[in-house]
Amino acid sequence: MSSFSTRALTLLSSVFGACGLLLVGVAVSTDYWLLMEEGIVLQQNQTTEVKMALHSGLWRVCFVAGPEKGRCVASEYFTEPEVEITTENTANILKMVRTATPFPMVSLLFVFTAFVISNIGHIRPQRTILAFVSGIFFILSGLSLVVGLVLYISSINDEVMNRPREPEQFFHYHYGWSFAFAASSFLLKEGAGVMSVYLFMKRYAEEELYRPHPALYRPRMSDCSDYSGQFLHPDSWPPPQRGRSASDVSSDISIQLNQTLPPHSYTHHTTTHTPT
């Protein structure tokens, strides 16, 4: 059951990470984050006439109605684009949303790094720390993206609230599918990060479970003699002295052995030769 859950976490974290990377990559590269439409209200028959409609992303603005219909211009971050905008508030919205652009880019970099590290960790599961590192990068990627989304929404809401209320004009806006992809990517990356960290905890626990006890590495002492195991333990060895040869050290050990062993009594037999 434990191995099954580990394989399931490995598979799910890979799928969530791949989907999060794909969605944020599509969101950053497309220009359907925001759709805006503005015009005038005809009082005679209560109909509306669209003066300008556009959809914009992080890098480009495309006009679908108005004088600039069919034209797409790049979002200039240091200079203003040479296009005709109907109202100043719409231009301010396109200007303010640029402040949120760096955060999705950082998020894309983080999720790509996390995806690479995560796959290396799956190929070499003995590198347990890789699962933890990839999980941290997934979580940081999601946090960076959500900061960008909050800045994007707040900048638009601020400009819309400051827009003058005129009954003969109308203004509509809504978020496009690129924005929805980015929001979905945040959920997937956070899920992948949590599962990667949990996978690290399970792998670490399994390593601790199957790791041999340190007592198994101790040298076995012989029971044949009271003194046989005394010199097998490194703590009983004499301290090494600089400048002495290996033969001197071995002779010192043999002297200690002779001193430790109990004295033996030797019987001397003397033979007397009688002269013939």
Side-chain angles (χ1 to χ4, degrees), residues 3 32 37 59 64 90 97-98 134 140 148 222 231 240 242 257 269:
S3 62
Y32 282 87
E37 185 181 63
W59 313 105
V64 294
T90 302
V97 295
R98 300 170 193 167
S134 64
L140 290 177
S222 176
F231 299 98
R242 186 174 300 176
L257 282 171
H269 299 277

Side-chain angles (χ1 to χ4, degrees), residues 3-48:
S3 62
F4 173 76
S5 60
T6 303
R7 290 195 299 268
L9 284 174
T10 303
L11 178 61
L12 288 177
S13 61
S14 299
V15 172
F16 275 48
C19 293
L21 175 62
L22 177 63
L23 289 181
V24 73
V26 172
V28 167
S29 60
T30 54
D31 48 19
Y32 282 87
W33 283 64
L34 181 67
L35 290 86
M36 291 187 293
E37 185 181 63
E38 63 180 44
I40 59 174
V41 179
L42 302 177
Q43 298 295 335
Q44 293 82 5
N45 51 8
Q46 295 297 318
T47 59
T48 59

Side-chain angles (χ1 to χ4, degrees), residues 86-150:
T86 306
T87 60
E88 184 180 355
N89 291 94
T90 302
N92 291 336
I93 290 175
L94 296 177
K95 186 188 303 182
M96 292 300 296
V97 295
R98 300 170 193 167
T99 59
T101 302
F103 293 95
M105 296 302 301
V106 173
S107 176
L108 179 61
L109 177 62
F110 279 172
V111 72
F112 178 76
T113 305
F115 183 73
V116 172
I117 296 176
S118 176
N119 282 276
I120 295 176
H122 296 336
I123 295 173
R124 305 185 67 180
Q126 66 273 14
R127 299 289 184 90
T128 312
I129 191 63
L130 294 179
F132 179 77
V133 174
S134 64
I136 296 299
F137 271 101
F138 275 127
I139 294 174
L140 290 177
S141 175
L143 293 178
S144 176
L145 181 58
V146 77
V147 169
L149 295 179
V150 170

Side-chain angles (χ1 to χ4, degrees), residues 67-102:
E68 304 288 342
K69 181 179 180 181
R71 183 181 177 186
C72 293
V73 295
S75 298
E76 301 292 340
Y77 286 87
F78 303 102
T79 59
E80 295 296 328
E82 298 295 332
V83 293
E84 182 181 349
I85 305 276
T86 306
T87 60
E88 184 180 355
N89 291 94
T90 302
N92 291 336
I93 290 175
L94 296 177
K95 186 188 303 182
M96 292 300 296
V97 295
R98 300 170 193 167
T99 59
T101 302

